[in-house]
Each structure stands twice: as C-alpha cells, then as structure tokens.
Amino acid sequence: MSVLSQTPDPSVPAPSRWHLFCVVVDNFGDIGVCWRLARQLAAEHGIAVRLWVDDLKSTRRLIPALDPAASRQFIDGVEIRQWGDPLSSVDPGEVVIAAFACSLPESFLEAMARRTPRPVWVNLEYLSAEEWVSGCHRMPSPHPRLPLTQHFFFPGLEANTGGLIREADYAARRAVFSPQAFWDALDLAPPEPEELRVSLFSYENAGLPELFDAWSRSVSRVTCLVPEGRILPGVAAEFGVSGLRAGDRLIRDSLTVRILPFVEQACYDELLWSCDLNFVRGEDSFVRAQWAEKPFVWHIYAQQEGAHLEKLEAFLACYRAGLDPEVARALTDFWLAWNRGEGIGEAWPAFLAALPALFSHAKRWSAKLQEVDDLASQLVQFCKVALE
Ligand code: TRH
C-alpha cells in the first residue's frame, strides 16, 4: 500500500519498537523535540522507544533525572542510549527515525537492510510554515546503495503536513495548573493588576538594551523572568554586574528582572502559562508558546544566507491572517525588530497596545492548530500504513 494514502487498517496494531536518533547540534532544540516526541510515543501509543543521543550532558539540562555517565537508562518509559561510535547495539526495530537529517551509522543502515520486513525509515524535519513543505511531506528518497527508502516527515501548521507535537493531556494539565503555587515556588508575588509579566528565553540579542530601556520607562511595572541561558551575559552587561545566576533580582525604575533556574522540560509550559507575554526561540519553545495561548515573540534560529528570514516571514504571514491591520503591523514590526536586534524601542509602544488583541488571537490560533492531528499520532499512522 502506498504510504502517501494514509488510511491505516484499525485492526492492525501500531508498530511497537522504534529507534529515534538525535544529534545535539547546539542548544536544546534538537533533543528538546526528540525527548518530547519519545515520551509521547511511549505514554500515549504504547511504543517501546529507544532514543539514541550523542550528547547526554546537554540532555541532562532538560531531564535532570538523567545520568550522563550511563550508556543505557529508562526514564518516563523511554530507553535512552548513549550514541557512541560504534553503536553498542545494532538491532533495528520496526521504525527508525533520524531526527533533523542526522546520518545513521553505516552498520545500523546495513542491519536495517537485512531486516524482514524492512523498518520504516523516517527523516523528521524541522518545522517550517513555508509553502513548499506540504509538497515534500512524506516524500520518499531511496538509499543510493541499500534496498531502503527514507521518507521525509515535516511538522507543520496545515492539514497536509505532519502537524505539531501536542500531548493528549495538555488541556487537562493546564486546567489543574495553579499560578499561585507557581509564583510561590519562585518566591514571587502574583502579578499586580497593571503589571506586565514577561518570560524571556532568547539567543544573544543586540536589541536587549533598547528593550530594557523601554520597559524601565514604562508607566506600569514590567517583571521580566529570564531562565538561565545564552542571554544572561547581555542582561548582566545591561545592569553593570559581572555575572548572574538563578534567584538574582535586578531593578531599574519600572523594570524588575528576575533570573530563573533552567527548569526540567516538563515544567517549562508552566512558565509560559503564567506570563502575559513570552519570548521564545528555536523550535520547541516556539511551539509551546503557541499552545500556551498567550502573545509571544519568536527569536528564530539564524541560518546561513538569511534563510531563516524567509521562514520567519512565512510564519508571520500565516499567523497574522485575520488580524486587524494595525495589530498585524505592530506584531510584524516588533518581531522583525527583535530578530534584527534594532528598532525595538520604536516598535514596542504599538506592540504593547496590540497585546489585548494578540491575547484573543492566541486562543483562536491554538484552536485552529488543534484541527490538525498532532505529530506523534500522524507519525504512528504513517508508519502503520507503511508496514501494512
Ligand atoms: O535551544 P533552542 O535554541 O534550540 C534549537 C537548536 O539550536 C537547534 O540546533 C536548532 O536547529 C533549533 O533550535 C531550531 O530552542 P528550542 O527549540 O526552543 O529548545 C529549547 C528547549 O529547552 C525546549 O525543549 C524547551 C526547553 N526548556 C526547558 O526545558 N527549560 C527551560 O527552563 C527553558 C527556558 C527551556
């Protein structure tokens, strides 16, 4: 049966043993996406997932329970294995996912070619709202030498893409979430009525001084919560301090900055739910901000030759559809200013004025995205069809 037709036989069980390969290129996005997906496949689809990661030290930031020295461990129903050279075991299951075009070990590919039936081989791609994505989603690509075919699987916003990662219990978790308990745990008072509470997860940004300047001069209070990470040296420089760590608090006029610990991935949503505005970056935090139903600002991961700017524009074009033109302009101007690292002070007042409209829009946007099946469910369906 063609895997492009996607109508699995409900009486056939889903393939149960999956290998997911992840190279940590930099930061946390690659393992962030893989870990979230692996947990969901195990928890919701009963799949035995073996997650191969080449950098367990970075992974530990997202999963504090992980032991970077252990070559094999089980967490949240997922088997996590150190991806060394050579691999400690070469025994492909029914499905093999190479995340973000990472190259599989030759010995593993050969074992895949020997297996009967051959595993479904998926290349999980990066998220993009660009138009060409739907045309390439699920496309086959034969291996040049071995009798294997890789399929490209693209996350996306539209029905003809792979969708986004969203756990089945997301709404239930949010419904029982207590912001009061969250603020108590951080030893922070709940926001005052006129206060703007912001989370700031971002790469280094030359525009930070302008942003802090605008917030310092704000009529109402702004509290900016900054998880430990790449932007901290910039924050420290702004306040003329030599270094910062979790728990530090800095005040300038209307602006209070509070440094937060980098939390376990499972808890990051709580920060997004608690704030009025979220600055996010890369891919996984960007998706979580969309589920959080709050206004957000995306610092996109910079690519060579400005390829990321097209990606940013493509997303903005989808996201601002249906917005009042003034709100759409304020959104676009501020996002572009933040990504350029200049013009932020100028763009801030209109963006601030647009926040109530963006708040309602964020709810509509999340509802629209939920019309598309989530990525894990779509992957399971795809692999079922491919194996039938
Ligand atoms: O870390 P990122 O910038 O990741 C990337 C990588 O650089 C990657 O190479 C690139 O290709 C990709 O972006 C586009 O941003 P991202 O994707 O948001 O990943 C961050 C992860 O960290 C995400 O899973 C959320 C998590 N996180 C926590 O677990 N705790 C925290 O306190 C915070 C702030 C984030």
Side-chain angles (χ1 to χ4, degrees):
M1 181 188 288
S2 161
V3 286
L4 300 176
S5 66
Q6 286 274 302
T7 40
D9 178 348
S11 64
V12 179
S16 60
R17 232 163 39 92
W18 292 34
H19 287 247
L20 173 50
F21 283 84
C22 175
V23 170
V24 177
V25 178
D26 57 6
N27 307 313
F28 306 110
D30 308 287
I31 184 60
V33 169
C34 291
W35 174 234
R36 215 180 267 293
L37 177 64
R39 273 196 302 155
Q40 193 186 357
L41 288 169
E44 293 177 22
H45 299 275
I47 291 168
V49 184
R50 183 176 290 172
L51 172 60
W52 293 96
V53 191
D54 69 338
D55 175 0
L56 291 178
K57 268 200 190 132
S58 299
T59 305
R60 186 150 79 146
R61 294 296 300 279
L62 306 189
I63 320 168
L66 184 122
D67 174 2
S71 59
R72 179 171 187 239
Q73 56 204 301
F74 286 85
I75 300 178
D76 289 355
V78 176
E79 179 187 353
I80 304 176
R81 296 283 284 259
Q82 169 74 55
W83 178 355
D85 182 19
L87 274 194
S88 51
S89 129
V90 180
D91 127 45
E94 286 110 319
V95 175
V96 176
I97 302 179
F100 312 122
C102 69
S103 304
L104 298 180
E106 206 52 34
S107 57
F108 197 83
L109 282 169
E110 276 160 15
M112 283 165 65
R114 284 194 301 270
R115 191 180 187 277
T116 315
R118 297 214 172 88
V120 185
W121 177 17
V122 173
N123 177 20
L124 177 64
E125 283 289 345
Y126 287 110
L127 168 64
S128 172
E130 288 163 296
E131 265 181 29
W132 55 265
V133 163
S134 54
C136 297
H137 177 51
R138 299 199 241 144
M139 285 306 279
S141 164
H143 188 278
R145 188 172 50 83
L146 296 167
L148 292 169
T149 300
Q150 165 179 219
H151 285 89
F152 294 97
F153 205 90
F154 281 85
L157 313 174
E158 307 288 341
N160 47 8
T161 68
L164 300 175
I165 295 180
R166 179 180 163 108
E167 303 78 14
D169 67 352
Y170 182 89
R173 278 198 305 123
R174 185 163 189 178
V176 296
F177 169 67
S178 154
Q180 180 66 54
F182 180 79
W183 298 128
D184 287 349
L186 287 178
D187 194 21
L188 269 168
E192 288 168 10
E194 294 304 312
E195 181 183 333
L196 183 70
R197 207 156 267 197
V198 185
S199 77
L200 181 63
F201 180 46
S202 170
Y203 306 116
E204 298 82 357
N205 196 311
L208 191 65
E210 266 191 85
L211 184 65
F212 279 2
D213 187 49
W215 287 349
S216 310
R217 289 188 288 102
S218 164
V219 186
S220 41
R221 276 181 63 175
V222 178
T223 301
C224 175
L225 306 175
V226 189
E228 283 177 314
R230 284 174 56 175
I231 202 164
L232 245 54
V235 177
E238 251 311 276
F239 281 85
V241 295
S242 55
L244 287 169
R245 53 189 183 148
D248 286 349
R249 189 191 302 254
L250 305 152
I251 299 177
R252 184 196 298 162
D253 304 321
S254 297
L255 171 65
T256 301
V257 173
R258 174 74 185 261
I259 311 303
L260 302 187
F262 191 91
V263 294
E264 178 170 359
Q265 191 193 47
C267 302
Y268 177 58
D269 285 330
E270 299 180 357
L271 177 64
L272 301 173
W273 295 336
S274 305
C275 290
D276 308 303
L277 171 64
N278 295 303
F279 285 68
V280 289
R281 69 182 205 195
E283 178 158 328
D284 186 58
S285 59
F286 166 55
V287 172
R288 303 316 281 186
Q290 294 173 65
W291 295 137
E293 303 182 357
K294 295 289 181 82
F296 66 99
V297 182
W298 182 28
H299 198 183
I300 193 169
Y301 181 79
Q303 288 171 283
Q304 280 173 354
E305 293 164 21
H308 59 289
L309 296 175
E310 276 174 42
K311 211 168 147 179
L312 180 67
E313 253 314 324
F315 179 79
L316 272 170
C318 297
Y319 190 67
R320 68 187 163 218
L323 276 175
D324 168 85
E326 215 170 301
V327 173
R329 197 169 325 111
L331 171 87
T332 306
D333 288 351
F334 190 77
W335 278 37
L336 294 183
W338 184 242
N339 279 281
R340 273 197 310 264
E342 60 182 30
I344 291 146
E346 216 175 297
W348 174 253
F351 187 67
L352 176 65
L355 285 182
L358 289 173
F359 181 73
S360 318
H361 182 65
K363 285 189 186 306
R364 286 194 299 272
W365 178 254
S366 156
K368 179 177 167 317
L369 292 180
Q370 285 172 65
E371 288 167 12
V372 180
D373 280 349
D374 71 277
L375 184 102
S377 306
Q378 290 210 49
L379 259 176
V380 170
Q381 295 238 332
F382 176 82
C383 294
K384 251 179 100 173
V385 174
L387 280 174
E388 271 169 29

